[in-house]
Amino acid sequence: MLTIYGVYRSRASRVYWMAGELGLEFQSVPVLQARRLADPLAPEAPLNTHSPDFIAVNPMGQIPSIKDGALVMHESLAINLYLARKYGGPLSGQTVEEDGLLTMWTVWAAAEVEPQTVKIVLTYDNGLEDSEGGKQTIAVACRSLRRPLAVLESHLAGRQWIVGERFTVADLNIAEVLRYAQSEEALFQAHPNIKAWIERCQSRPAYKTMQETRGKEPIEV
């Protein structure tokens, strides 16, 4: 059985959504981010990214990780590409060319988009969005997103989905990367194709199920 390490309030959300799309049975092992704990190595601390038991799974001390049989993998976007390739049906590439495009768009999301969207979400997570420094961080991130979002907006003109005529792992991966910036409504209002596309992605039952579970997790530890 597939084992997913990580809480839903983390990048593991992407893997939980993917598992739901694929109808996979899985075991969830909640692993908290060490930064959320006063003393992550205290004897009574819950399993977290600094815990020796988790470091034995992922020496980088980051979530999510998975075990699928004998295979251990890290890096959420790569995990989803693997799950699509192994289990995905229509979520996976149906040709070598589609496989290449799914990988290209996923790497694009990681390299061109996520460095900026993470700055936005962490500003909110740290309660700094109304501070002068926080406002500046968000403004700079939004400016840095102009070019990649213009590329995606143009790509989606006349298209429902990123690759082919169907929802794929590329849609899921990019939607999750962009979710970190959805607090900035003006970004999406300025890109109507992206706005309509991400609404289609987030209307899927597996996404709603993931978010429902995520919403039940406590914010404070």
Side-chain angles (χ1 to χ4, degrees):
M1 181 182 292
L2 176 68
T3 301
I4 302 173
Y5 296 86
V7 291
Y8 281 74
R9 291 185 181 276
S10 74
R11 285 183 175 92
S13 62
R14 307 164 181 181
V15 181
Y16 288 118
W17 180 8
M18 186 67 176
E21 290 283 353
L22 299 175
L24 298 178
E25 292 187 14
F26 61 87
Q27 177 186 7
S28 175
V29 178
V31 181
L32 285 170
Q33 302 94 329
R35 61 180 169 78
R36 297 173 63 186
L37 302 170
D39 185 358
L41 294 179
E44 69 277 9
L47 185 65
N48 65 80
T49 52
H50 286 183
S51 299
D53 285 349
F54 181 67
I55 294 295
V57 175
N58 183 354
M60 290 298 296
Q62 296 177 348
I63 49 177
S65 293
I66 66 164
K67 283 185 179 178
D68 190 28
L71 176 70
V72 177
M73 279 192 71
H74 321 300
E75 302 298 334
S76 59
L77 300 177
I79 288 169
N80 280 355
L81 288 173
Y82 159 74
L83 292 175
R85 184 78 179 267
K86 183 170 181 180
Y87 301 106
L91 271 74
S92 65
Q94 304 301 293
T95 64
V96 172
E97 290 78 11
E98 282 194 352
D99 270 339
L101 290 172
L102 296 178
T103 301
M104 181 193 78
W105 279 107
T106 294
V107 172
W108 172 84
E112 304 294 339
V113 180
E114 189 163 38
Q116 307 306 325
T117 61
V118 163
K119 291 176 185 177
I120 293 171
V121 76
L122 288 179
T123 299
Y124 280 89
D125 284 352
N126 291 321
L128 299 174
E129 66 273 16
D130 293 324
S131 69
E132 287 304 312
K135 290 176 181 177
Q136 183 176 7
T137 296
I138 292 170
V140 171
C142 288
R143 286 199 299 270
S144 298
L145 285 169
R146 286 176 183 170
R147 175 170 288 188
L149 290 190
V151 169
L152 183 58
E153 178 74 7
S154 177
H155 179 75
L156 285 169
R159 291 186 174 92
Q160 294 287 300
W161 307 110
I162 302 292
V163 176
E165 303 286 332
R166 66 194 187 281
F167 178 84
T168 68
V169 62
D171 296 286
L172 191 156
N173 280 347
I174 297 172
E176 277 293 275
V177 167
L178 276 175
R179 179 165 61 85
Y180 290 162
Q182 281 187 280
S183 56
E184 309 314 299
E185 295 181 8
L187 273 180
F188 293 85
Q189 294 294 341
H191 299 90
N193 293 334
I194 294 175
K195 184 175 185 293
W197 160 81
I198 203 168
E199 288 172 356
R200 286 192 292 275
C201 292
Q202 294 178 348
S203 69
R204 296 179 67 83
Y207 175 82
K208 292 180 178 180
T209 297
M210 178 275 288
Q211 280 286 31
E212 182 180 359
T213 304
R214 183 176 181 273
K216 294 175 182 177
E217 281 188 352
I219 296 175
E220 301 295 333
V221 179

